[in-house]
Amino acid sequence: MAMAVLSSSLPPLSNPLPTSTSSSNLCCPRIYSSSSSYHLRRRLLRPLIASQLCAPQTFKIDKSSLVVAETVSEDQLWAAACLRIRSFYQFGPSYGIDDHKRYLAEREFEALKERVAGKREGFRRVSCINATIPLSEISSFSDDLCAACKFTHNGEDRVVIGTLDLNQCVSLPDEITGMKPQGIGADFLRAYLSNVCVAKELHRNGLGYALVAKSKMVAQEWGITDLYVHFAVDNEPAKQLYMKSGFIYENDEPAWKARFLDRPRRILLWTGLPVNYDV
């Protein structure tokens, strides 16, 4: 099953770029923070459509060494930023492409640090949740992934192979706003998943499900009662993932808005979480 853009929202940029439907993304909106205009960025970085992409070869991993957890480590945030750039963009052979990739990763990294540090206006809290595995487990089949997304934790080299953001806020920029809960306190009780992606070599390992499950646990600890996620209307793998994870349909984006933003129309899914009375 080839996954397309799943969930993405990077709160440090003022306007979101369209998400690509790369086979390594799991389908959501991305939020960027940049002073450049949205329409200029749209012309420079247009998303690919699923029909332009081929499903990559995938590999099985030993899940006994898999860790899915929140992170504030700058080394791991950098690795997560690199995975997102690797997942959300398609790069052809070109002079200076490595410099361009690094520029995009640096921008994502700074934005991610800002969000996690609580400096993003309109967001009460943001957590970066990563799936990681020892470098030795995957070094035999993906030199590129190991080189781009490696970090060191307690003296062990590990690789970020999946990532998402959990955003406690009323709404994500340029995305459909959830309806639950209503009234005072919505910014405390509502959250969105974004920037969900899994390394293309490691699809079919259940990493998307593991990331979503962990995000639910963290959201409950925060006292979140209503969790949302967006996905592109033509992204059937993402729909299957989220609905299998307990999300149901709530709303969809008007066609005129999708045309204006030059992207596939979004669907908004919702799931309720048990109340955590210890919060």
Side-chain angles (χ1 to χ4, degrees):
M1 177 178 67
M3 294 288 186
V5 185
L6 208 97
S7 178
S8 58
S9 89
L10 301 180
L13 300 171
S14 56
N15 293 308
L17 278 172
T19 38
S20 78
T21 51
S22 148
S23 60
S24 44
N25 302 334
L26 298 176
C27 170
C28 256
R30 287 177 61 76
I31 306 172
Y32 292 81
S33 101
S34 169
S35 57
S36 59
S37 74
Y38 166 76
H39 295 287
L40 174 61
R41 295 201 308 276
R42 186 180 66 187
R43 290 196 299 272
L44 294 175
L45 292 168
R46 299 182 66 84
L48 295 177
I49 59 175
S51 61
Q52 294 174 297
L53 301 166
C54 298
Q57 183 180 4
T58 58
F59 300 87
K60 292 299 180 182
I61 60 171
D62 178 4
K63 291 186 180 178
S64 65
S65 55
L66 176 69
V67 174
V68 181
E70 296 180 88
T71 183
V72 294
S73 157
E74 289 201 1
D75 284 350
Q76 194 174 154
L77 292 178
W78 169 256
C82 290
L83 178 62
R84 294 174 186 189
I85 300 307
R86 189 178 186 269
S87 299
F88 291 123
Y89 296 98
Q90 293 293 312
F91 300 95
S94 175
Y95 176 77
I97 196 66
D98 289 339
D99 289 340
H100 183 56
K101 288 181 181 179
R102 185 166 185 86
Y103 162 74
L104 292 172
E106 287 174 348
R107 188 178 69 166
E108 178 80 359
F109 174 56
E110 293 301 326
L112 183 54
K113 284 198 301 180
E114 183 180 287
R115 290 196 305 279
V116 171
K119 298 178 180 178
R120 170 70 173 185
E121 185 176 353
F123 291 75
R124 298 195 62 87
R125 191 184 305 186
V126 176
S127 178
C128 175
I129 299 173
N130 293 331
T132 72
I133 201 164
L135 176 68
S136 58
E137 293 287 332
I138 60 172
S139 57
S140 62
F141 62 78
S142 183
D143 291 341
D144 176 68
L145 176 62
C146 294
C149 305
K150 183 182 73 172
F151 69 99
T152 301
H153 178 68
N154 291 335
E156 179 185 41
D157 288 336
R158 298 185 69 87
V159 179
V160 173
I161 57 176
T163 181
L164 64 72
D165 287 340
L166 174 65
N167 308 274
Q168 184 181 24
C169 57
V170 172
S171 63
L172 296 179
D174 284 336
E175 297 297 341
I176 313 167
T177 300
M179 300 298 292
K180 305 181 185 71
Q182 296 183 343
I184 298 174
D187 55 340
F188 288 95
L189 302 176
R190 185 185 304 163
Y192 298 82
L193 301 183
S194 64
N195 294 328
V196 184
C197 62
V198 168
K200 58 184 178 290
E201 301 92 338
L202 299 176
H203 290 169
R204 301 175 182 268
N205 277 283
L207 298 175
Y209 297 103
L211 286 165
V212 172
K214 180 61 178 181
S215 71
K216 286 184 175 182
M217 295 173 60
V218 174
Q220 249 191 290
E221 292 171 2
W222 291 0
I224 299 298
T225 59
D226 298 273
L227 184 62
Y228 285 93
V229 66
H230 302 82
F231 72 96
V233 67
D234 58 352
N235 193 330
E236 188 62 26
K239 176 183 176 181
Q240 292 177 8
L241 167 63
Y242 293 130
M243 298 194 84
K244 187 173 180 179
S245 298
F247 288 83
I248 61 174
Y249 170 88
E250 180 174 290
N251 201 356
D252 56 87
E253 183 176 57
W256 67 264
K257 182 176 180 181
R259 286 196 300 269
F260 175 75
L261 295 174
D262 194 22
R263 69 185 189 191
R265 191 162 56 89
R266 309 283 201 203
I267 304 297
L268 178 66
L269 300 182
W270 165 89
T271 189
L273 299 177
V275 176
N276 185 350
Y277 292 103
D278 295 330
V279 175

